[in-house]
């Protein structure tokens, strides 16, 4: 039987703390060779600027294979539709049985924030209390929830082009025991922060490395998975100790990295390593309190697998979702 889980099912099942731990285990499995993470397949039709990405992963400890089809369609914005849509398939690694089909919206948002939390726990200075958010949408809400579980956040400095978006952010994070300060500019958000998360679909740099102060940790996660789109400039990459989720994936679709290489600010070999390598100790993380660290994440299939495992198990336990026999 295959379990079908809708967005509303998944929103009720989502658990950020459990997702952080599951994502960390998956990165560590990748770093120790117990999981497989191929590079993404990106498809493009000449009739539009849409991209269709197949993201996959396999994990021996989790006993799962996962694949996600992500459709990145900027033109949907003019249609009143989400610009990114996705679905995730989970299969049993031993038998190949299709276990579940999940709408991808909620899992993608939660696992993205969870990965930033894992990176923050390993790369940010201890005692970091000020979180900067460039972008104030749903991903910003999820990032506050996730980062607050791994760092003693007291103040959130948030910037958005829209005052209404910041007002909406304030309403959605009333549960958090933090002071929320609206920044007048991205520069103010950057220069006020101990930990910075860039969460916009910007195509050109919105954050500049000349603004970085000693000891800053950056999670650069918002740019679309395209080699020509980026949120941070080449100077930001040059000044930072850069850790990626997957080097093969980053070299295929991270404009933050690829454009910095193209402009000669860094070489691909300057990337310190992958987050999984930091977790298992084969690559150093932060090396000093003054060092600037940057986690460049474009998303990998193992993150979807990690959250898929816990959502699937929770759904079975609670009797949530629709079971179908796809083999009939």
């Amino acid at each position: 039987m295959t379990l079908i889980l809708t967005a509303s099912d998944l929103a009720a099942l989502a658990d950020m703390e459990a997702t952080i731990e599951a994502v960390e285990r998956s990165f560590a499995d990748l770093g120790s060779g117990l999981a497989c993470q191929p590079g993404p397949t990106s498809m493009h039709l000449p009739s539009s600027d849409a991209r269709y990405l197949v993201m996959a992963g396999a994990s021996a400890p989790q006993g799962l294979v996962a694949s996600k089809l992500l459709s990145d369609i900027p033109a949907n914005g003019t249609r009143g539709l989400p610009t990114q849509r996705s679905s995730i398939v989970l299969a049993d690694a031993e038998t190949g049985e299709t276990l579940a089909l999940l709408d991808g919206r909620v899992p993608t948002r939660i696992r993205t924030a969870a990965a930033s939390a894992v990176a923050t726990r390993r790369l940010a200075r201890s005692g970091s209390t000020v979180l900067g958010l460039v972008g104030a949408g749903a991903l910003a809400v999820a990032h506050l929830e996730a980062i607050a579980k791994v760092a003693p956040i007291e103040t959130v400095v948030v910037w958005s082009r829209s005052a209404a978006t910041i007002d909406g952010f304030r309403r959605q994070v009333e549960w958090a025991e933090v002071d929320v300060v609206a920044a007048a500019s991205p520069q103010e958000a950057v220069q006020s922060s101990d930990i910075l998360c860039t969460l916009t679909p910007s195509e050109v740099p919105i954050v500049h490395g000349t603004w970085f102060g000693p000891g800053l940790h950056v999670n650069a996660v918002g740019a679309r998975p395209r080699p020509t789109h980026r949120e941070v400039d080449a100077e930001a990459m040059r000044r930072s100790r850069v850790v990626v989720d997957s080097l093969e994936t980053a070299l295929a679709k991270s404009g933050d990295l690829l454009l910095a290489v193209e402009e000669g600010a860094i070489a691909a070999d300057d990337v310190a390593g992958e987050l999984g390598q930091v977790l298992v100790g084969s690559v150093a993380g932060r090396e000093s309190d003054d060092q600037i660290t940057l986690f460049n994440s474009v998303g990998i299939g193992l993150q979807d697998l990690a959250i898929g495992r816990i959502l699937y198990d929770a759904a079975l336990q609670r009797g949530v979702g629709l079971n179908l026999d796809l083999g009939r």
Side-chain angles (χ1 to χ4, degrees):
M1 300 293 285
T2 299
L3 186 62
I4 311 299
L5 294 169
T6 66
S8 56
D9 291 334
L10 297 167
L13 295 169
D15 181 321
M16 183 62 80
E17 189 165 357
T19 303
I20 292 170
E21 300 310 316
V23 167
E24 180 161 340
R25 286 194 301 272
S26 285
F27 274 118
D29 290 342
L30 181 60
S32 58
L34 297 175
C36 176
Q37 178 57 67
T41 297
S42 180
M43 297 175 285
H44 171 229
L45 297 173
S47 56
S48 76
D49 65 348
R51 297 291 189 279
Y52 310 96
L53 289 91
V54 180
M55 303 166 64
S59 170
Q62 296 296 325
L64 279 184
V65 177
S67 62
K68 178 167 76 175
L69 174 61
L70 169 64
S71 299
D72 180 59
I73 307 176
N76 270 0
T78 63
R79 302 174 180 131
L81 298 172
T83 59
Q84 290 192 341
R85 287 173 153 172
S86 60
S87 55
I88 301 167
V89 175
L90 304 179
D92 186 286
E94 183 175 355
T95 68
E97 177 188 2
T98 301
L99 299 176
L101 172 64
L102 289 66
D103 181 81
R105 181 180 56 182
V106 172
T108 299
R109 182 176 71 244
I110 301 300
R111 61 78 153 158
T112 299
S116 293
V118 173
T120 297
R121 183 154 58 187
R122 294 304 179 119
L123 297 174
R125 290 178 299 177
S126 62
S128 294
T129 61
V130 182
L131 173 64
L133 301 173
V134 176
L139 195 55
V141 175
H143 269 73
L144 172 56
E145 181 183 358
I147 302 296
K149 292 188 180 299
V150 300
I153 300 303
E154 298 174 357
T155 303
V156 178
V157 182
V158 57
W159 175 85
S160 171
R161 289 187 176 90
S162 166
T165 303
I166 292 181
D167 289 342
F169 174 83
R170 287 183 186 276
R171 289 193 296 272
Q172 292 180 76
V173 301
E174 288 178 347
W175 51 266
E177 297 180 357
V178 298
D179 293 325
V180 177
V181 178
S185 66
Q187 183 174 358
E188 181 181 335
V190 172
Q191 293 180 330
S192 302
S193 301
D194 300 316
I195 300 163
L196 176 72
C197 301
T198 65
L199 308 169
T200 74
S202 183
E203 298 182 21
V204 296
I206 199 167
V207 166
H208 298 269
T210 55
W211 303 340
F212 290 1
L216 177 68
H217 171 65
V218 181
N219 298 305
V221 302
R224 295 182 184 278
R226 300 180 181 220
T228 57
H229 291 199
R230 60 177 169 177
E231 291 182 289
V232 303
D233 68 358
E235 180 68 3
M237 302 296 282
R238 187 192 69 79
R239 295 190 62 201
S240 303
R241 180 170 178 81
V242 177
V243 174
V244 298
D245 44 16
S246 160
L247 186 58
E248 183 178 2
T249 301
L251 290 173
K253 62 178 186 173
S254 171
D256 293 304
L257 174 60
L258 291 168
L259 292 172
V261 172
E262 182 180 312
E263 293 169 10
I266 62 171
D269 290 345
D270 291 328
V271 174
E274 298 180 350
L275 182 56
Q277 295 173 312
V278 173
L279 293 173
V280 301
S282 59
V283 167
R286 172 173 290 276
E287 298 171 313
S288 71
D289 280 349
D290 286 343
Q291 187 175 54
I292 298 167
T293 55
L294 187 149
F295 176 53
N296 181 213
S297 175
V298 286
I300 58 175
L302 279 174
Q303 293 170 253
D304 300 310
L305 184 151
I307 191 170
R309 173 86 271 173
I310 59 175
L311 289 170
Y312 174 70
D313 290 346
L316 291 181
Q317 183 178 23
R318 300 184 199 179
V320 173
L322 174 66
N323 277 295
L324 293 176
D325 185 353
L326 298 182
R328 291 185 61 183

